[in-house]
Amino acid sequence: MNQQDLIMEYFKKNPCREIKHPEIVDWVVAEYKKRTGEVFRDPDRAIRKLHQEGKLIKIKKGVYKYDPGYVENRELEDFTPEQKEAIFKRDGYKCVVCGRGLADGVEIQADHIKPKDLGGKAEIENGQTLCAQHNFQKKNLKQTETGKKMFIRLYDLAKKEGNKELAKFCTQILEVYEKNHINDHIEWEK
Ligand SMILES: [Zn+2]
């Protein structure tokens, strides 16, 4: 009996309903005990993990929702292991921002250049290799330096795709960087 499967069983029985922590915890703890005779340790952690894996949507602290449509879309937009390998190989198994990689014992991850929420697809062309640290920065810290590099890469991709609207958007942002002399050491070739 897999604990995560048991949690998902409950959410799948209640699709698209916002479920509070105590409700799901009470159910899985009792159900797990009934089916296995064992104690379900740390169900909170298991729920958080399902959220991190994209299987549950977090509404707010302690409230989660399962939406079958969302999960399907998300899976379509994720890179397959084969695509990841192709992206890593093309980038020489190195982070495109700092150049560190497997040879330096640094963990690498496949990142969407155009983010999924802007319609970025799971295509090798839209993938780039980032070290765990820069992937984390891009996702969480949004430092100006990382941001500028990301917009340069998005601009290059938009130009290559002939996506004028997106290229224009990137140009406007990068011009703000230039005007304010933010991160001048990172060069943007128009
Ligand atoms: Zn890096």
Side-chain angles (χ1 to χ4, degrees):
M1 183 78 236
N2 181 307
Q3 298 186 333
Q4 297 218 351
D5 287 347
L6 186 64
I7 294 171
M8 286 313 292
E9 187 182 315
Y10 191 74
F11 274 100
K12 282 177 182 171
K13 270 189 220 159
N14 297 276
C16 299
R17 184 159 75 78
E18 296 180 7
I19 300 174
K20 287 193 183 126
H21 234 74
E23 178 185 334
I24 174 76
V25 169
D26 287 352
W27 186 84
V28 293
V29 167
E31 198 65 22
Y32 194 72
K33 181 90 188 159
K34 201 161 81 188
R35 292 190 201 180
T36 67
E38 285 167 32
V39 178
F40 192 142
R41 285 185 209 287
D42 213 349
D44 294 334
R45 202 168 138 242
I47 295 169
R48 277 201 304 275
K49 192 154 179 280
L50 285 164
H51 163 60
Q52 281 159 7
E53 288 169 1
K55 289 171 186 155
L56 295 176
I57 302 165
K58 187 176 181 177
I59 304 299
K60 59 185 179 197
K61 200 170 178 289
V63 184
Y64 293 86
K65 185 173 89 170
Y66 168 71
D67 182 336
Y70 171 82
V71 172
E72 225 166 78
N73 281 333
R74 197 197 135 86
E75 279 168 0
L76 278 176
E77 289 158 11
D78 280 343
F79 294 120
T80 64
E82 292 75 24
Q83 285 177 313
K84 280 185 191 171
E85 179 54 30
I87 291 162
F88 293 156
K89 194 173 172 192
R90 183 202 59 209
D91 294 340
Y93 300 91
K94 284 184 297 196
C95 171
V96 297
V97 177
C98 67
R100 294 178 310 149
L102 285 189
D104 313 289
V106 169
E107 187 198 332
I108 52 170
Q109 296 165 350
D111 169 65
H112 289 66
I113 300 174
K114 189 200 284 182
K116 286 185 269 191
D117 59 8
L118 284 179
K121 293 275 180 300
E123 289 161 357
I124 293 164
E125 282 287 279
N126 191 38
Q128 64 184 347
T129 306
L130 291 180
C131 68
Q133 187 197 336
H134 279 114
N135 201 12
F136 178 81
Q137 277 189 4
K138 186 188 168 194
K139 284 199 173 90
N140 299 292
L141 300 179
K142 299 190 173 69
Q143 290 186 358
T144 56
E145 208 178 21
T146 314
K148 186 172 181 185
K149 287 181 183 177
M150 292 301 155
F151 276 110
I152 290 170
R153 292 186 63 82
L154 186 55
Y155 171 81
D156 290 342
L157 183 82
K159 236 172 89 172
K160 215 163 115 190
E161 280 182 346
N163 186 338
K164 285 186 185 141
E165 215 171 303
L166 189 56
K168 190 179 152 204
F169 172 67
C170 294
T171 300
Q172 287 173 346
I173 285 169
L174 289 164
E175 280 171 358
V176 171
Y177 271 94
E178 289 189 337
K179 205 171 100 190
N180 294 283
H181 296 288
I182 305 289
N183 306 132
D184 275 345
H185 62 288
I186 302 166
E187 228 178 293
W188 171 43
E189 286 171 39
K190 285 177 214 185

